[in-house]
Amino acid sequence: TEMRQFGLVGTHFHFGLVFHAYCRLGMTSEAETLLDEMTRVHHQPPNHIFYASLLYAHCRRFEYSAVFRTFERMERSGLKPDTETANYVLLSLFDVGEYQEALQFFARMTVEGIRRNTYTYAILTDRMMLR
């Protein structure tokens, strides 16, 4: 808002700095508001990095329904899941006790070619052992 007062236009970099600060501080509602403003007012759609940061913040706050809602929003925007965003969904599905859905989501990652990393497999083995 202050940038506009001075006639400046925010870039992804500027929005990213503020957005990631909100997420790091657990200020998820402020981050959601900024995400909306970026898209609606500034016509700068967020990329995977913004969504990953917000998904991580929701996970840290145990806001699992917000994780699923944010992930769906990301997909509706046309972005395909990447490893990091998919890992947060996988972790959240296990954390809410949806083991079958988590395994189906992992299968989806495989079928859709979403790269899995060591963290993906750590989530899978750790959560399956807790079962």
Side-chain angles (χ1 to χ4, degrees):
T1 312
E2 290 179 17
M3 288 177 55
R4 280 183 283 169
Q5 291 174 346
F6 295 107
L8 301 173
V9 177
T11 65
H12 261 86
F13 178 74
H14 296 114
F15 289 119
L17 291 174
V18 174
F19 186 82
H20 297 305
Y22 283 151
C23 290
R24 209 173 39 254
L25 295 170
M27 300 170 69
T28 54
S29 61
E30 290 83 354
E32 295 264 5
T33 300
L34 183 58
L35 201 67
D36 288 334
E37 187 177 312
M38 277 179 61
T39 306
R40 198 175 21 60
V41 177
H42 300 281
H43 308 290
Q44 293 192 33
N47 58 26
H48 284 90
I49 298 167
F50 287 86
Y51 283 108
S53 186
L54 185 56
L55 288 167
Y56 176 71
H58 285 309
C59 280
R60 282 185 40 221
R61 293 176 53 110
F62 308 105
E63 299 171 339
Y64 299 116
S65 61
V67 168
F68 306 131
R69 185 182 69 246
T70 300
F71 186 75
E72 288 170 1
R73 177 183 179 175
M74 181 191 81
E75 288 191 303
R76 278 193 315 272
S77 78
L79 292 173
K80 301 289 182 211
D82 64 356
T83 305
E84 190 172 11
T85 58
N87 280 348
Y88 293 132
V89 172
L90 185 64
L91 179 64
S92 297
L93 285 168
F94 277 122
D95 283 355
V96 297
E98 295 292 339
Y99 288 90
Q100 195 59 35
E101 281 190 46
L103 293 174
Q104 289 172 353
F105 188 78
F106 178 77
R108 174 185 166 194
M109 289 175 72
T110 305
V111 169
E112 292 183 13
I114 301 168
R115 190 175 156 273
R116 282 97 43 225
N117 59 16
T118 54
Y119 186 55
T120 310
Y121 290 102
I123 293 167
L124 194 63
T125 54
D126 179 59
R127 296 307 193 265
M128 290 305 292
M129 291 183 78
L130 293 175
R131 189 172 182 197

